[in-house]
Every structure is written in C-alpha cells, then in structure tokens.
Amino acid sequence: MNEPVEYLPLENYEKLSEDEMQQRADKVLASLKTRRTIRDFSDKPVPRELIETCIKAAGTAPSGANHQPWHFVAISNPDIKKRIRDAAEQEEHEFYTRRASEEWLEALEPLGTDTNKPFLETAPWLIAVFAQKRGGVEAGMDKKNYYVTESVGLAAGMLITALHSAGLGTLTHTPAPMGFLTEICGRPKGEKPFVLLVTGYPAKDARVPKHALIKKSLDDISTFLD
Ligand code: IYR
C-alpha cells in the first residue's frame, strides 16, 4: 500500500495589499525591462559566492515530480574557458559556413553574431546548464525524470533573472551542437547540455543590437478571456 502523503502548513507566504502587489509587479517589470543579452563583457572578476547564490535561486524552480533534473557547472578556470571557446568556435564555424540554412542566417543578421566567441574567455564565469534524463528527488537516485526540458528551461530562466537582479550581464549562448560541454565539464553521458550562460559585468563600451530592443506588446503576446 502507498504511504499516506505527508503535508506541512504553507509557510512564509507574504500577504500583500492589492496596491503593494501592483507596486511589486511594476518594480519587477521595470527591472526585467532593463535586461539585455550582451556579448561585450569586462574581465572584472565576480565573486564565486554571488554565482553560488544565483544557482541556488535557480534550484528553487518547479520541476516534474520535483526531481530537479538539472546540474550547473560554473567555470572561472581560464584553461577550461579556453577549451570551451576553442570547441565552441569550431562548431560555430561549421554552423555559419555549412549547417545553418539561408533563412536562419538571415534571421541572425540583425544580431551581428559570427564564429568569433571572445566572450567565452573574457567573461569571468560560464555556467553550463545540463539536463538529466534520470535522477530523482534526492541526489544519487536513478529514476526516470519527467518534463525535463520544461523544468530545466524554467530553472535557466530563473538563473538569468537572478543574475540580472544581482547586477550582472548575461548571454544565453547555445553553440550547436554542444555535446563538447559534457566532456569538458566532466559530466556523465546521460546529461545533455541545455544552455551555456555567459555572465559578468558588461564591458564599458558594451553595445547591443537595435534589433534586440524590439519587444512585442501585451496585445501581441497575450489574450485575456475575462
Ligand atoms: N549559436 C550561434 C548562432 C545563434 C543562433 C541563434 I537562434 C541566436 O539567437 C544567436 C546565435 C551563435 O551563438 O553565434
């Protein structure tokens, strides 16, 4: 027979007035509106503890059956960053010269991206996010995980939000394919690289493509059935 579910009272719920709720939502929006994906990073070091705190924040994300099917590898070691840059640039060269369709290259044109990825060495931290096919609610378990992509996507979004809120710039980088990250980061074969988050301070002269400032309106992105 199944064990009965054990429940605990909900704790730490912050009850706010409607005015306070709106003010909080306005503040979150104002902050998130200032987030930009950047590719020009300063080499100024960022304390490891700040990165640890942001990873802990990401680790609070909801996940299928609460299996938390993610692993974050935070890299500041210059030799490892160089290995990652070399491998990524090799893949990107293939992508830009052979693999990408005309349509894809056209979509990327306004972003000004190319094979060259100096930020992979300049930025103080790279955070490789891995998705685990198997795991479980506790470390060391080996059960099937569920909604892995959705769960890791949510955690990655929360990581970006945490890093941005902490005053860091980020680049959501997806060198394709990124299988090389599994080997360089020493992760098991059952873990799939999900995204490589580049983070640090923006360079003094950091620029962003105008294209990235186009944001769809509320009407474009939502429907209310009330
Ligand atoms: N991975 C390549 C290409 C690239 C693809 C998309 I979709 C982007 O939004 C940006 C870049 C690169 O990093 O250059």
Side-chain angles (χ1 to χ4, degrees), residues 2 49 75 103 108 127 133 147:
N2 286 342
E49 193 184 354
I75 304 135
E103 189 178 7
L108 291 179
I127 309 176
K133 268 211 263 309
Y147 297 101

Side-chain angles (χ1 to χ4, degrees), residues 4-46:
V5 177
E6 259 189 82
Y7 290 97
L8 298 171
L10 173 67
E11 276 180 353
N12 304 323
Y13 172 72
E14 204 182 351
K15 181 100 186 69
L16 302 172
S17 70
E18 271 184 23
D19 279 352
E20 283 169 324
M21 289 165 80
Q22 188 59 51
Q23 279 167 21
R24 293 270 191 110
D26 288 340
K27 243 176 121 172
V28 172
L29 171 61
S31 166
L32 291 184
K33 271 174 112 171
T34 67
R35 188 202 58 77
R36 296 270 87 81
T37 291
I38 56 160
R39 292 180 174 79
D40 304 324
F41 286 88
S42 152
D43 62 1
K44 185 177 166 182
V46 166

Side-chain angles (χ1 to χ4, degrees), residues 66-83:
N66 193 29
H67 281 198
Q68 305 150 67
W70 42 66
H71 191 86
F72 303 90
V73 179
I75 304 135
S76 64
N77 179 301
D79 297 331
I80 303 177
K81 286 197 293 184
K82 177 162 178 21
R83 282 182 65 197

